[in-house]
């Protein structure tokens, strides 16, 4: 059984299964959905159980990525799961990821600092107070990591053990196409909100919806290699730009709230961040205008046209 496979593989940090975050043409949709969910949760469990002091940052990043992929998959089959089951599974995954957000945030700020400096042709050593504060924060977070890791392992294993009972056996290609269309509609609505009111929280909401489209299109690549892969590639590009913008906005907010020394240093850094933010906002809005130019109904019909030709069985494996 898959549940026992997850337990066996947790002894090694390296995941023994070559993951494929896409539904395969030779498997039923239900089997594919369960396989992908198991593989993503197994990957997260391997990262958590194989974590050491030397690879903590990489393990946290990989774990959060596996969780995001699993949550995108859950949204794709939300109607089949039912609201109660969906909310329970999604809520557990969300809280598990949040438990490691402080670790992720501190390191991302340090990476964002390096990127801002590089673009401005400066060095991180030009901002010693900021660099020192972030390094101290990372060290402090690492010291309290053990309990959170044990709780995360228990939660992820619990969800993995429930996958076999997910009611997805009647899932069909049309269901998946409609779910992707719904994600596109939500993303388009967020884009229109950003266009009217380009605030950080609006960009953040938009980023989450674009990531859903990216991950879900990846899952459905085999519907049509050319069309759906092009959708995934465009969503990935936009999502990465929105991710960089989100990191800048978060870093700026933390600096503005900071009470540490180095007022002159902080003022210069805030100026550099704001300049890059405005640049990325323009890029994101331009990319978004092109990506969301198509109306949701037309988008859905285009995807559905290829879904109807899918060779895989939609019933139980």
């Amino acid at each position: 059984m898959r549940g026992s496979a997850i337990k066996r593989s947790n002894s090694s940090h390296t995941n023994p299964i070559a993951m494929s975050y896409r539904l395969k043409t030779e498997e039923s949709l239900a089997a594919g959905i369960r396989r992908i969910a198991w593989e993503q949760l197994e990957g997260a469990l391997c990262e958590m159980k194989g974590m050491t002091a030397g690879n903590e940052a990489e393990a946290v990043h990989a774990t959060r990525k596996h969780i995001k992929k699993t949550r995108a998959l859950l949204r794709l089959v939300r109607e089949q799961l039912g609201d109660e089951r969906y909310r329970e599974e999604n809520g557990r995954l969300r809280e598990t990821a949040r438990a490691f957000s402080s670790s992720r945030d501190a390191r991302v700020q340090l990476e964002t600092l390096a990127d801002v400096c590089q673009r401005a042709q400066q060095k991180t050593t030009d901002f010693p107070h900021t660099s020192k504060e972030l390094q101290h924060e990372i060290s402090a977070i690492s010291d309290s990591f053990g309990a959170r890791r044990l709780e995360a392992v228990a939660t992820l294993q619990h969800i993995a053990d429930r996958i076999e009972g997910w009611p997805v056996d009647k899932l069909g290609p049309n269901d998946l196409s409609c779910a992707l269309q719904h994600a596109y509609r939500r993303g388009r609505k967020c884009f229109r909100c950003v266009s009217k009111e380009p605030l950080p929280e609006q960009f953040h909401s938009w980023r989450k919806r674009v990531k859903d489209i990216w991950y879900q299109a990846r899952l459905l690549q085999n519907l049509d290699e050319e069309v759906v892969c092009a959708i995934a590639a465009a969503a990935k590009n936009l999502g990465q730009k929105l991710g960089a913008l989100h990191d800048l906005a978060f870093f700026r907010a933390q600096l503005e709230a900071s009470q540490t020394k180095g007022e002159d240093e902080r003022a210069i850094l805030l100026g550099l961040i704001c300049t890059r933010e405005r640049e990325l906002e323009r890029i994101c809005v331009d990319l978004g205008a092109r990506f969301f130019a198509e109306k949701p109904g037309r988008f859905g019909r285009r995807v559905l046209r290829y879904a109807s030709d899918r060779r895989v069985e939609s019933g139980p494996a």
Side-chain angles (χ1 to χ4, degrees), residues 159-172:
I159 296 172
D161 291 341
R162 289 159 54 97
I163 291 173
E164 185 65 40
W166 285 5
V168 294
D169 291 320
K170 295 182 179 180
L171 187 68

Side-chain angles (χ1 to χ4, degrees), residues 6-245:
I6 289 178
K7 294 181 178 69
R8 286 197 301 270
S9 64
N10 284 335
S11 59
S12 171
H13 175 65
T14 303
N15 192 345
I17 294 179
M19 295 185 189
S20 176
Y21 194 70
R22 66 164 67 187
L23 295 166
K24 299 177 181 178
T25 55
E26 69 273 13
E27 65 186 348
S28 75
L29 292 177
I33 290 295
R34 291 189 177 106
R35 170 184 59 80
I36 293 168
W38 270 313
E39 288 176 354
Q40 293 306 316
L41 290 174
E42 179 177 38
L45 283 164
C46 286
E47 294 292 345
M48 285 287 99
K49 290 198 170 185
M51 187 180 297
T52 65
N55 73 355
E56 179 189 311
E58 294 81 2
V60 166
H61 175 73
T63 298
R64 286 171 57 87
K65 191 171 181 179
H66 285 307
I67 290 174
K68 287 178 182 178
K69 288 181 176 181
T70 307
R71 293 181 69 195
L73 180 147
L74 283 171
R75 293 186 186 99
L76 195 65
V77 295
R78 178 172 184 170
E79 185 174 341
Q80 288 69 39
L81 291 177
D83 276 347
E84 183 177 351
R85 188 186 296 260
Y86 166 79
R87 291 180 187 280
E88 182 177 356
E89 307 289 36
N90 185 58
R92 286 174 178 269
L93 289 169
R94 182 181 61 244
E95 293 308 312
T96 299
R98 282 181 178 173
F100 302 105
S101 61
S102 56
S103 177
R104 181 263 182 196
D105 291 343
R107 288 183 169 86
V108 166
Q109 286 181 76
L110 202 56
E111 292 169 3
T112 303
L113 171 62
D115 182 68
V116 168
C117 290
Q118 183 179 17
R119 290 179 181 279
Q121 297 183 334
Q122 294 186 264
K123 300 177 181 178
T124 54
T125 52
D126 295 334
F127 304 97
H129 293 292
T130 305
S131 297
K132 183 178 179 180
E133 184 68 22
L134 289 173
Q135 292 285 6
H136 176 74
E137 185 176 345
I138 290 170
S139 298
I141 292 169
S142 298
D143 292 340
S144 60
F145 199 80
R148 285 175 291 156
R149 182 178 67 169
L150 292 176
E151 185 176 352
V153 168
T155 299
L156 293 171
Q157 185 65 64
H158 176 74
I159 296 172
D161 291 341
R162 289 159 54 97
I163 291 173
E164 185 65 40
W166 285 5
V168 294
D169 291 320
K170 295 182 179 180
L171 187 68
N174 289 11
D175 298 317
L176 298 179
S177 298
C178 289
L180 181 58
Q181 178 184 344
H182 179 67
Y184 180 84
R185 180 181 287 109
R186 293 182 72 192
R188 194 170 189 261
K189 182 178 180 180
C190 286
F191 166 66
R192 296 173 72 177
C193 291
V194 163
S195 299
K196 292 178 182 178
E197 195 173 17
L199 300 174
E201 54 268 30
Q202 300 281 21
F203 276 101
H204 179 54
S205 296
W206 185 29
R207 166 179 167 260
K208 290 190 289 186
R209 302 290 74 82
V210 170
K211 276 206 163 186
D212 279 345
I213 298 169
W214 173 33
Y215 284 137
Q216 291 177 6
R218 286 179 62 186
L219 284 166
L220 304 181
Q221 287 175 82
N222 284 342
L223 290 180
D224 182 270
E225 287 287 345
E226 183 177 351
V227 173
V228 183
C229 283
I231 292 171
K236 177 183 179 180
N237 184 35
L238 175 55
Q240 288 177 333
K241 297 294 190 300
L242 287 167
L245 179 60

